[in-house]
Amino acid sequence: MVSEQQLSAIKGSKVLMVGAGGIGCELLKTLALSGFQDIHVIDMDTIEVSNLNRQFLFRQSHVGQSKAKVARDAVLKFRPNISITPYHANVKDPDFNVDFFKQFNVVLNGLDNLDARRHVNRLCLAAGVPLVESGTTGFLGQVTVHVKGRTECYECQPKPAPKTYPVCTITSTPSKFVHCIVWAKDLLFAKLFGDKNQENDLNVHSKDGSSSSKQAEDVFERHKEENLEQYGNRIYDHVFGYNTELALSNEETWRNRNKPRPIYVKDVFSSDLASQNGNLDKSSNGDPPSLSAMASLGLKNPQDLWSLKENSKVFLEALKLFFSKREKEIGNLSFDKDDQLAVEFVTAAANIRASSFGIPLHSLFEAKGIAGNIVHAVATTNAIIAGLIVIEAIKVLQHDIKNYRMTYCLEHPSRKMLLMPVEPFEPNKSCYVCSETPLDLDINTHRSKLRDIVDKIVKAKLGMNLPLIMHRSALLYEVGDDLEEDEVANYAANLEKVLSELPTPVTGGTILTVEDLQQELKCSINIKHREEFDEEKEPDGMILSGWIQPLAAEKNGKTTVDNEVSTSSASEAVPLLTEDDDDLRIIPTITGKKRKLSDVANERKNKRKAEEPNSKNDVVLLDDEKF
Amino acid sequence: MDGEELTEQETALYDRQIRVWGADAQRRLSKSHILVSGLKGTVIEFCKNIVLAGVGSVTLIDDRVVTEELLAANFLIPHDENMYAGKSLAVLCCDSLKDFNPMVRVSVQKGDLSSFGVDFFEKFNVVVVSSCSLSTKKLVNEKCRKASKRIAFYTVDCRDSCGEIFVDLQKYLYSKKEVDEMVECLLEYSSFEEAIAIPWRSLPRRVSKLYLAMRVIERFEELESRNPGDTSIADLPDVQKLRKELCEAHSLSESMIPDALLERLLASTTEFPPVCAIIGGILGQEVIKAISGKGDPLKNFFFFDSMDGKGIIEDISIVKAEG
Ligand SMILES: [Zn+2]
């Protein structure tokens, strides 16, 4: 039972919950039972069937409705006298500004993506409101407390970049099934059904580096005289046959690799050409969402492994269904894990490619998990984590600073513990978010444009929404609704200018000030001119650094070690687990390093009284490829 | 691998968790039958978790009439006296739990837990008891052990911001992945009676103080014929006397069971909802592991105290002689 003091702190508090999903449902319930009277909930999502196994406030009849609103109604049934204010909105909306955040005593995150977490972290820092952050994956979870000036902020430890793959691995030398999935989803699917104007690396580059795309552009266009069957066969032969032959012609590539086998329609269906057609008529009354090549081919179990022939049938059938039944969407489609036909197409295409490259095939169920980057999620972990969040929230309300803990929920016990509390870490003095330490940017100021800085650094790396860039007192760039026409034109022109040719030239030694007015985040960037960059390792042509990792530094016995935050390096941070549906992305580099919990604790034990787990433990807190 | 395939509906609903434990485990879950007795906050949390997970059936035992106090950590029953007046906890919880997952059969069994025979318990794969006396715990555990098939037995109790889980899987054989090969593991559990009879001197050196404190209070309630959990701070002097006796009998220092801890455990009559969620979550996970055969089950006590935030496993079992 809670003490009188605790109860009055709880009753007098106003809390903001961000996210009403897996953790959110459990959290809202536990807050209400614990006596919280004034709870605000933000969630932009609507309810889906696959939520129902764990988001227990929702029922089948709620599918399609706002999570925040349905969750509120469900909780009021057993606690009718409390106030719950739902917002069916994105937490990044400008309405949720610093003043909005200031009205709360504590903010509790149950979010599913890094972007929103960073945004909330900044608003909490700017508003001076404590944040309790959380995440789960399968049986693993964690809860952390972030109080400005007292503990590290959510961004004090750089977060791992999303999983990415080098272009050439995807286009020419896949060695894992996930490479085939990325190819099928981001290249082939996008090429056939997506925006034609998007850049696409689908076609194999020949040895001299020149792309065959000039003539290939026409390959994907359906000829006037061609029926859908002929078109499908031609696409099949081109991407699985011709492109593979072309890749094979580059002998250097295959010196140390197994050569792929080109696959043509005639090879797969040599004996029974007639049977390659699915029974289109059977499925002809299907509405677009339920349209299925599997169904029309009589394949039922999504966990079954299909043969090359079955995959080929699904591929041709799905392609035909898209062009015959969903032609209006063609040109605007992007892959969606809840689009059955899209998942079937991608599964089949990835499997045919896998077959060609000697990679083991996967079921539709598995392929969907990889393509949709679907998280593993169970109700129990979410319930445990929600309980831990409330315990920390009550401490925060009582300013019980010495008892704040970050807690890991483990799958295998470490030093007899399944729930392992650790003292929170101090703020990272070099964190550009919660301290005022400047960042360094190595860049070629004679070649790179302002746009490169805005896109690759300010937005992608620093996570700013509405950035403003200044050089001393001169504004170089700004976004907003209240700009004059000439200002807009001026900034647009600046974007395309090379740095050293800007009205106030940016050169080596320049200090840029970057600011996001919504997040009330401001930081300085020291520009250092550098002539050359390694195309493979530093594909952005710039390197951001200065976001130092104090722990690695301690371990190495040095005082400071720069942690490059270039696109190419996966940061060695303590990642926060996420209930996350973020997409896989392709960029021309490899990344991803597993981090063991034992390492984390061991590195930190000298300075802080972290309880280091025994060495047998190998809980990997960073989820790798998601199967 | 045995049995029918999951239906399309099941695959869609359970998609995210099948990705955690696999389709086989999901099939085994859907064929399991769970008996639950004593429907306070922690057990309610547990019921929610296993109904969502998709077990075959859940049978609820609790004839107590609903009171304000029993509703403190209950999110299944609408907070409206007109709706619950005169009905039993089990009946009201049943109605609500059914709603969580139409694929799980939820039903009520009337009667006193201690009155059922072995043949009754044999209908279940898992028995979870809470809010019951020491003698009932022992009795039900014994009956589960006498059954012709293995029944997983669990007790769970929360007091103040502390919780305890006890597990008896009898002889439990499972396979786990070690490095790259599957290894067969055999765990031998003690019954509740056997476990708590172990002399305190031979317990692990830094055994959880919570374990000892719970035993003292359990014994106190038994001697005084109290209802489970029916204690107050006024009982402290008597409980301290009992602690002294027990510690002397076990030749253990009384400082192993601090006054402050006893005070907390005695004073509380209502549950702390965050702890219910945590203990109910851990228990749910353990029951899912035991049914599905996936993962290392805990052996054989689990303790959580929100004061220090640690969730600790203790192995308190008799070591059987070889052969
Ligand atoms: Zn920081």
Side-chain angles (χ1 to χ4, degrees), chain A residues 348-594:
Chain A
N351 272 329
I352 300 165
R353 186 164 172 85
S355 188
S356 180
F357 283 83
I359 296 166
L361 309 195
H362 285 66
S363 71
L364 178 116
F365 180 82
E366 294 166 314
K368 179 179 171 180
I370 301 166
N373 217 5
I374 294 176
V375 289
H376 308 175
V378 287
T380 48
T381 316
N382 289 336
I384 294 165
I385 289 300
L388 293 168
I389 294 173
V390 176
I391 288 171
E392 289 311 314
I394 294 172
K395 291 183 205 165
V396 166
L397 293 176
Q398 297 184 289
H399 307 288
D400 186 7
I401 297 162
K402 67 178 194 311
N403 285 315
Y404 293 168
R405 291 291 179 275
M406 48 192 278
T407 306
Y408 297 101
C409 177
L410 309 174
E411 188 172 0
H412 306 289
S414 167
R415 294 183 60 206
K416 300 204 295 191
M417 280 183 275
L418 276 181
L419 300 175
M420 190 172 75
V422 176
E423 282 188 25
F425 303 136
E426 284 164 17
N428 177 353
K429 292 193 179 63
S430 66
C431 172
Y432 76 91
V433 180
C434 69
S435 80
E436 277 159 25
T437 312
L439 295 160
D440 294 326
L441 182 66
D442 285 21
I443 191 165
N444 186 328
T445 54
H446 303 309
R447 212 184 300 150
S448 295
K449 294 175 181 169
L450 185 63
R451 174 182 292 285
D452 297 322
I453 293 194
V454 171
D455 289 350
K456 292 176 185 167
I457 300 295
V458 177
K459 287 187 180 162
K461 288 278 190 310
L462 305 184
M464 291 188 178
N465 267 342
L466 303 169
L468 172 157
I469 301 177
M470 285 198 303
H471 180 197
R472 280 189 235 105
S473 59
L475 261 169
L476 296 177
Y477 180 70
E478 190 181 3
V479 272
D481 300 331
D482 49 355
L483 299 179
E484 301 293 332
E485 245 173 67
D486 59 326
E487 288 176 307
V488 174
N490 200 7
Y491 296 140
N494 279 354
L495 273 184
E496 304 311 325
K497 286 190 178 130
V498 166
L499 295 175
S500 57
E501 288 160 16
L502 281 161
T504 37
V506 172
T507 54
T510 297
I511 300 174
L512 288 180
T513 303
V514 185
E515 194 172 354
D516 187 307
L517 296 175
Q518 191 195 353
Q519 298 173 345
E520 288 197 10
L521 173 63
K522 186 175 178 176
C523 61
S524 309
I525 302 179
N526 298 328
I527 301 293
K528 291 179 182 169
H529 174 78
R530 189 167 127 190
E531 204 57 38
E532 293 300 326
F533 290 87
D534 183 331
E535 259 177 59
E536 268 294 307
K537 291 187 191 139
E538 301 148 352
D540 286 348
M542 56 184 94
I543 296 174
L544 185 70
S545 58
W547 197 358
I548 300 158
Q549 275 192 283
L551 305 165
E554 269 170 40
K555 195 182 171 193
N556 296 339
K558 295 178 196 161
T559 45
T560 54
V561 170
D562 276 359
N563 176 50
E564 289 186 345
V565 201
S566 126
T567 338
S568 15
S569 73
S571 49
E572 267 203 285
V574 189
L576 205 65
L577 297 163
T578 60
E579 259 224 351
D580 205 335
D581 280 358
D582 278 357
D583 256 352
L584 297 163
R585 289 175 213 175
I586 314 176
I587 64 137
T589 173
I590 305 172
T591 168
K593 194 160 185 181
K594 286 185 184 177

Side-chain angles (χ1 to χ4, degrees), chain B residues 3 5 11 15 28 47 49 99 106 109 125 128 139 145 147 158 223 247 252 254 270 295:
Chain B
E5 286 180 355
T11 310
D15 184 281
R28 274 184 225 126
C47 289
N49 293 336
D99 240 23
V106 187
Q109 174 67 52
N125 307 92
V128 174
L139 187 71
R145 287 191 150 237
C158 284
L223 291 170
C247 284
L252 191 82
E254 276 188 73
T270 34

Side-chain angles (χ1 to χ4, degrees), chain A residues 257-272:
Chain A
R257 289 186 173 93
N258 290 327
K259 288 186 180 176
R261 173 174 67 101
I263 300 176
Y264 292 93
V265 173
K266 64 173 171 20
D267 306 333
V268 180
F269 299 106
S270 53
S271 55
D272 53 355

